[in-house]
Amino acid sequence: MIKLRAQHSTIRQIKADAVVQFVAGDAKLFQRQVTALRKYFGKRIDHFVALEQFKAKEGEVLTMVTEKKINAPRLMLVGLGETKKLSLERYRRAAATAAKKARTLSLKHLAYEMPVPPADLPGFTPAVEDMAVAISEGAVLSLYKFDKYVTEKKEHKPKLKEITLFDPADAGVKEIKHAVSVARIICDSTCLARDLENAPGNEIYPETLADAAKRSAEEYGYNAKVWEKKRIEKEGFGGLLGVNAGSARPPRFIILEYNGGKKDLDTIVLVGKGITFDSGGISIKPPSSMAEMKMDMSGAAAVIGVMEAATRLRLDVHLVGLVPSTENMPGGSAMRPGDIVKHYGGKTTEVDNTDAEGRLILADALAYAAKFKPKVIIDLATLTGACVVALGSLASGMMGTDEDVMAKLKKAGEKTFDRVWQLPLFEDYEKHIKSDVADVKNVGGRWAGAITAALFLKKFVGDHKWVHLDIAGTAILEEDFPYAPKGGSGAGVRLLIEMLRTWK
Ligand code: BES
Ligand code: ZN
Ligand code: ZN
């Protein structure tokens, strides 16, 4: 695990393998910054920048040998691009660019100078804490790799072990130290979610997913209860049992709980889709899109990550995490298209397509969530390919009945860049999931698939306020993102932590 720390220091004094300075792309600011560096390097810095044609564009990085003019042997300048487009995300990505460069150079210790954003930028006046968290996230998350199964050709280069944020002004260091301790927790839980997502289906299945949740709960001190199949049968979770019917591995229902301790805290129930592998069942998927369905438990992974972070950050909320978990397999005893299942609470569903299984297991959990008398229920699920078609990988689809919480999520999403985009819950589309033989049907035809899936879920939340996040496109990345390699991204974790940190 990479060490993350903060200290008071100057560029000259800081001891590291490289010092990183963020550089604004605007010509005037750019020149001002280069001129300031003459103090250490004389005119050499101007020549070097000109020679390498470094313009501080977004994604640009320039590494220079410092020849003992400062303690660190290298100076790394990273571009922020156009000044008027500056944002926390720009700093997050620039920090990632520097960290990845440090990795290719086999550096062990990288030190970032805390940037001072231009004072005259309307609309961008970040708090020191937010800036430090963003830089830490960009650095730490960009270095994430899932390579524990690679035994051959593993590079034995030294790894980046330490990241330091330093500030030449003593005054801000306390705040940066606090920010770094928060970022540590945010990054840990994001990477926990990524590890669970990326783990193959023969490592993470319902029992081992539950074990992972229990391990986290035990380590950090929140509550975890796990129902085995018998209890799931007794409680009548017919959706979960139906989806599980074709699998050799038994299902689990995981109940996590954290209480901030104070009285009268708001209860928020998080529900995460925990399909540890989605073959589609009898309505089997084509092979080309099947392997990535080991990540169909990304909603569950996010819920576990958020529970852990909320506990470590001692957030002022009463948080409940519910995870229905099973594989979706086409065994001889599998659920058939046309079958009818009875959910917790008594509603029935006609199963038209066994590949629309997420909503079947969520239905039980959403109905069960009422027990906790929640202020709001928020579910996270890799629910529909339709949502990926609509929004791609840059925003999770958001639908629900709680406009307040959706506004909060929107704001948290913009800040963390773990973004959401609201889709309409048009009730007219409900007719598409009407069934002639049961209360509801589990598919709604070709069009507006993300919406009809959400309308299905809505039937089970009763009168409770509720928000659904379809993370199918954001949690499962098909290509690298600046600070997430392709694969499981941990989507939803940073989003929810940010919302919960600013809940009241
Ligand atoms: N897990 C999938 C959704 C999914 C698709 C997630 C692509 C990530 C990437 C879900 O269980 C599913 O198969 N949904 C079907 C629903 C359809 C049968 C109504 C889909 O979206 O095709
Ligand atoms: Zn499916
Ligand atoms: Zn699925």
Side-chain angles (χ1 to χ4, degrees), residues 273 278 285 293 296 353 355 357 382-385 443 472 476:
K273 172 176 171 181
D278 181 11
K285 286 181 183 298
M293 285 301 121
D296 209 17
N353 186 321
D355 196 12
E357 83 299 336
T382 45
L383 203 62
T384 66
V443 288
I476 303 174

Side-chain angles (χ1 to χ4, degrees), residues 331-349:
S333 55
M335 181 172 71
R336 292 152 287 255
D339 281 3
I340 296 174
V341 297
K342 188 180 203 140
H343 297 279
Y344 178 84
K347 285 203 173 76
T348 57
T349 300

Side-chain angles (χ1 to χ4, degrees), residues 24 89 151 204 282-283 388 414 466 493:
E89 178 64 6
T151 67
I204 288 290
I282 295 299
S283 316
V388 191
E414 294 306 319
W466 155 78
V493 174

